[in-house]
Amino acid sequence: MLVFHLHGPALRGGALALLAAVLFGVSTPLVQHLGAGLGAFSTAALLYAGAAGMGAVLRKPVQQEARLRRADTSRLLAMAGLGAVVGPVALAWGLQRTSGSSASLMLTLEALFTALLAWRLYHETMDRRVWAAMLLLLAGGVALVVDQGRLGGVELAGLLAVLLATMAWGADNTLSRALAERDPAQVVLVKAALGASATAVLAWGLGEPMPTAAAAWGMVAVGATGYGLSLRCYLLAQRAFGAARTGSVFAFAPFIGAVLAFAMGDRTAGGLVVVGGLLMVAGVVLHLAETHEHPHDHEATEHEHAHRHDDGHHNHAHSSMPQGSHSHWHQHGAQSHTHAHVPDAHHTHRH
């Protein structure tokens, strides 16, 4: 029997990952619609200009969220190169050569790349329920892709470009796991600003056509929500939920994109879309209902991140106890206890 823990880490992380998926899923057919006639680099530049603007608006004071550090520079550059240049450029190029439904469905594979990399690199726990949820989500994506293949008319080059985007974003997601404890809006701002600058220079150098004012502002708006706000939610989900689980729930995004593409007039989807959607919903439900509890040890450590004093892990003293979430450098003593947990920053132990 599935039991929902309304205040548990799995539900919070899953809800944030699902919100990120919805925001990004909606963006894919909109990018195809607004990007008609635009170059791939121009499209990426406008999307990440919007994302950078959203990051600037949502930044928190240093007392509430940890700042980025100089040591994060190389990771941020890699994230910008993969996630804000290669990923969106490949997607924009692919969207001009295949249907919105097909492109949305191919993005399912991003979750698989993210989960496998997180499992290998961060040794995140993957019990039977998590594997079952991932397989359900993957099966849903396969059903959607088979539906597209059965109907034909899909351009292979476009789909391969979208596949490249999923690989780039999967690597980007895995790299971003190490920055999940930093202010997510600042991460969005820096990554997006780097990506927008690089792609704008490339668009100018290649002589890509200038967009109309309506298309430009539309792309910026889509970038603000589907890339900026979505990435912020994604990073918060990684903080609460781990990289593999966040990536798996995020696999729901293609279904959202396929549904919106259908609503916008794309009639390439068939009956298997319903089957795929139901499989994906089942996978998300398994993630949201996850409970993982056993005795475990915490080694003594010190770090900086946003935290509260009612979570069982932060019992250090303050001269004046702050209310709610706050951020500062703090220490953890060695501790052994039992409670429900997921692979967040405080639960990286092996199993």
Side-chain angles (χ1 to χ4, degrees), residues 34 43 64 79 94 116 120-121 134 248 263 267 283 305 325-326:
L34 293 169
T43 299
Q64 295 182 16
M79 288 169 56
L116 291 177
R120 293 291 299 172
L121 298 179
M134 288 181 57
S248 184
R267 293 296 183 265
H305 66 103
S325 180
H326 58 284

mmCIF file of all heavy atoms in Angstrom, residues 34 43 64 79 94 116 120-121 134 248 263 267 283 305 325-326:
data_model
loop_
_atom_site.group_PDB
_atom_site.id
_atom_site.type_symbol
_atom_site.label_atom_id
_atom_site.label_comp_id
_atom_site.label_asym_id
_atom_site.label_seq_id
_atom_site.Cartn_x
_atom_site.Cartn_y
_atom_site.Cartn_z
ATOM 1 N N LEU A 34 7.080 29.874 -31.635
ATOM 2 C CA LEU A 34 7.641 31.223 -31.674
ATOM 3 C C LEU A 34 8.943 31.292 -32.456
ATOM 4 O O LEU A 34 9.310 32.354 -32.968
ATOM 5 C CB LEU A 34 7.893 31.718 -30.244
ATOM 6 C CG LEU A 34 6.654 31.949 -29.380
ATOM 7 C CD1 LEU A 34 7.054 32.166 -27.925
ATOM 8 C CD2 LEU A 34 5.862 33.150 -29.899
ATOM 9 N N THR A 43 17.587 31.742 -30.985
ATOM 10 C CA THR A 43 16.564 31.182 -30.108
ATOM 11 C C THR A 43 17.129 30.919 -28.720
ATOM 12 O O THR A 43 16.538 31.286 -27.702
ATOM 13 C CB THR A 43 16.014 29.876 -30.704
ATOM 14 O OG1 THR A 43 15.422 30.147 -31.975
ATOM 15 C CG2 THR A 43 14.974 29.251 -29.780
ATOM 16 N N GLN A 64 19.864 34.414 3.640
ATOM 17 C CA GLN A 64 18.883 33.358 3.413
ATOM 18 C C GLN A 64 19.401 32.232 2.525
ATOM 19 O O GLN A 64 18.938 31.095 2.631
ATOM 20 C CB GLN A 64 17.607 33.951 2.796
ATOM 21 C CG GLN A 64 16.880 34.918 3.709
ATOM 22 C CD GLN A 64 15.609 35.442 3.078
ATOM 23 O OE1 GLN A 64 15.103 34.889 2.098
ATOM 24 N NE2 GLN A 64 15.081 36.528 3.622
ATOM 25 N N MET A 79 28.475 23.841 -17.005
ATOM 26 C CA MET A 79 27.018 23.824 -17.038
ATOM 27 C C MET A 79 26.478 24.762 -18.108
ATOM 28 O O MET A 79 25.530 24.427 -18.830
ATOM 29 C CB MET A 79 26.465 24.225 -15.663
ATOM 30 C CG MET A 79 26.643 23.178 -14.581
ATOM 31 S SD MET A 79 26.261 23.833 -12.929
ATOM 32 C CE MET A 79 24.566 24.439 -13.181
ATOM 33 N N GLY A 94 16.604 21.053 -33.816
ATOM 34 C CA GLY A 94 15.772 19.872 -34.004
ATOM 35 C C GLY A 94 14.300 20.203 -34.142
ATOM 36 O O GLY A 94 13.582 19.569 -34.928
ATOM 37 N N LEU A 116 21.241 7.817 -14.398
ATOM 38 C CA LEU A 116 22.387 6.914 -14.482
ATOM 39 C C LEU A 116 23.686 7.607 -14.071
ATOM 40 O O LEU A 116 24.527 7.029 -13.364
ATOM 41 C CB LEU A 116 22.512 6.355 -15.899
ATOM 42 C CG LEU A 116 21.403 5.374 -16.319
ATOM 43 C CD1 LEU A 116 21.587 4.949 -17.769
ATOM 44 C CD2 LEU A 116 21.384 4.153 -15.405
ATOM 45 N N ARG A 120 25.990 6.662 -10.803
ATOM 46 C CA ARG A 120 27.387 6.302 -10.928
ATOM 47 C C ARG A 120 28.319 7.293 -10.222
ATOM 48 O O ARG A 120 29.281 6.892 -9.570
ATOM 49 C CB ARG A 120 27.775 6.225 -12.410
ATOM 50 C CG ARG A 120 27.101 5.082 -13.161
ATOM 51 C CD ARG A 120 27.633 3.731 -12.710
ATOM 52 N NE ARG A 120 29.064 3.595 -12.961
ATOM 53 C CZ ARG A 120 29.806 2.592 -12.535
ATOM 54 N NH1 ARG A 120 29.239 1.637 -11.801
ATOM 55 N NH2 ARG A 120 31.098 2.527 -12.815
ATOM 56 N N LEU A 121 28.036 8.588 -10.351
ATOM 57 C CA LEU A 121 28.963 9.598 -9.852
ATOM 58 C C LEU A 121 28.720 9.971 -8.398
ATOM 59 O O LEU A 121 29.666 10.240 -7.654
ATOM 60 C CB LEU A 121 28.886 10.858 -10.727
ATOM 61 C CG LEU A 121 29.284 10.679 -12.190
ATOM 62 C CD1 LEU A 121 29.136 11.987 -12.945
ATOM 63 C CD2 LEU A 121 30.719 10.170 -12.301
ATOM 64 N N MET A 134 11.226 4.739 -12.184
ATOM 65 C CA MET A 134 11.970 5.137 -13.369
ATOM 66 C C MET A 134 11.583 4.309 -14.583
ATOM 67 O O MET A 134 11.441 4.838 -15.692
ATOM 68 C CB MET A 134 13.470 5.007 -13.106
ATOM 69 C CG MET A 134 14.041 6.056 -12.174
ATOM 70 S SD MET A 134 15.815 5.842 -11.935
ATOM 71 C CE MET A 134 16.394 5.938 -13.625
ATOM 72 N N SER A 248 14.208 11.752 -12.737
ATOM 73 C CA SER A 248 13.178 10.783 -13.087
ATOM 74 C C SER A 248 11.793 11.421 -13.117
ATOM 75 O O SER A 248 11.021 11.224 -14.061
ATOM 76 C CB SER A 248 13.213 9.623 -12.077
ATOM 77 O OG SER A 248 12.285 8.627 -12.441
ATOM 78 N N ALA A 263 -2.907 20.358 -28.288
ATOM 79 C CA ALA A 263 -3.872 21.440 -28.118
ATOM 80 C C ALA A 263 -3.614 22.587 -29.090
ATOM 81 O O ALA A 263 -4.544 23.311 -29.474
ATOM 82 C CB ALA A 263 -3.831 21.961 -26.683
ATOM 83 N N ARG A 267 -1.433 17.181 -34.680
ATOM 84 C CA ARG A 267 -2.277 15.983 -34.624
ATOM 85 C C ARG A 267 -1.495 14.713 -34.951
ATOM 86 O O ARG A 267 -2.042 13.727 -35.440
ATOM 87 C CB ARG A 267 -3.452 16.121 -35.604
ATOM 88 C CG ARG A 267 -4.442 17.207 -35.202
ATOM 89 C CD ARG A 267 -5.126 16.861 -33.878
ATOM 90 N NE ARG A 267 -6.128 17.831 -33.502
ATOM 91 C CZ ARG A 267 -5.918 18.854 -32.687
ATOM 92 N NH1 ARG A 267 -4.708 19.021 -32.177
ATOM 93 N NH2 ARG A 267 -6.880 19.685 -32.387
ATOM 94 N N GLY A 283 4.457 6.435 -12.461
ATOM 95 C CA GLY A 283 5.839 6.590 -12.022
ATOM 96 C C GLY A 283 6.008 7.771 -11.092
ATOM 97 O O GLY A 283 6.712 7.686 -10.065
ATOM 98 N N HIS A 305 24.718 26.478 3.819
ATOM 99 C CA HIS A 305 23.546 26.333 2.962
ATOM 100 C C HIS A 305 22.317 26.812 3.725
ATOM 101 O O HIS A 305 22.367 27.021 4.940
ATOM 102 C CB HIS A 305 23.353 24.869 2.527
ATOM 103 C CG HIS A 305 23.023 23.947 3.661
ATOM 104 N ND1 HIS A 305 21.759 23.483 3.894
ATOM 105 C CD2 HIS A 305 23.798 23.401 4.634
ATOM 106 C CE1 HIS A 305 21.757 22.691 4.958
ATOM 107 N NE2 HIS A 305 22.992 22.628 5.432
ATOM 108 N N SER A 325 13.906 29.739 7.473
ATOM 109 C CA SER A 325 15.117 29.346 6.753
ATOM 110 C C SER A 325 16.130 30.483 6.729
ATOM 111 O O SER A 325 15.784 31.654 6.556
ATOM 112 C CB SER A 325 14.751 28.949 5.314
ATOM 113 O OG SER A 325 15.893 28.576 4.589
ATOM 114 N N HIS A 326 17.410 30.137 6.920
ATOM 115 C CA HIS A 326 18.496 31.109 6.888
ATOM 116 C C HIS A 326 19.770 30.385 6.474
ATOM 117 O O HIS A 326 19.818 29.159 6.449
ATOM 118 C CB HIS A 326 18.675 31.779 8.254
ATOM 119 C CG HIS A 326 18.959 30.797 9.358
ATOM 120 N ND1 HIS A 326 17.979 29.996 9.921
ATOM 121 C CD2 HIS A 326 20.113 30.458 9.981
ATOM 122 C CE1 HIS A 326 18.518 29.219 10.851
ATOM 123 N NE2 HIS A 326 19.811 29.474 10.905
#
